[in-house]
Amino acid sequence: AVRRDLSEYVEESAAAEMAQALGGKEALHLVVVGHVDAGKSTLMGRILHALGQVTAKEAHSNARDAAAAGKASFAWAWALDARPEERA
């Protein structure tokens, strides 16, 4: 894997602003590609939870709401799909 600095892709001022917003942490940009219902949102919801970006409270709320809607297997995806039309 080739590691490149963010400043290769965006203006230097924008790269500095992004680095400051992240508190000095490095950013990881991912593109997830797959067929409809292949589990893209579920995968990203689990990754975000593992990284601490989705709290246990949010995960529990999503699990409860998904089960109530009859879509328990979609609980992790609901971390990303917050609007009602996305959860339909």
Side-chain angles (χ1 to χ4, degrees):
V2 177
R3 185 179 173 127
R4 297 193 173 136
D5 190 76
L6 180 62
S7 61
E8 291 183 41
Y9 302 100
V10 297
E11 292 181 20
E12 190 69 35
S13 60
E17 183 179 326
M18 291 170 72
Q20 182 180 8
L22 292 169
K25 295 180 184 177
E26 292 188 37
L28 175 63
H29 301 272
L30 298 173
V31 175
V32 180
V33 180
H35 194 271
V36 172
D37 293 331
K40 300 175 298 291
S41 293
T42 298
L43 171 67
M44 292 310 300
R46 291 184 63 97
I47 289 173
L48 289 172
H49 179 68
L51 294 173
Q53 299 301 307
V54 175
T55 66
K57 182 179 179 180
E58 291 169 320
H60 179 1
S61 175
N62 288 338
R64 183 189 64 235
D65 295 345
K71 297 184 175 193
S73 65
F74 286 70
W76 289 112
W78 283 16
L80 298 166
D81 303 335
R83 296 190 321 241
E85 59 270 13
E86 294 173 318
R87 294 183 173 192

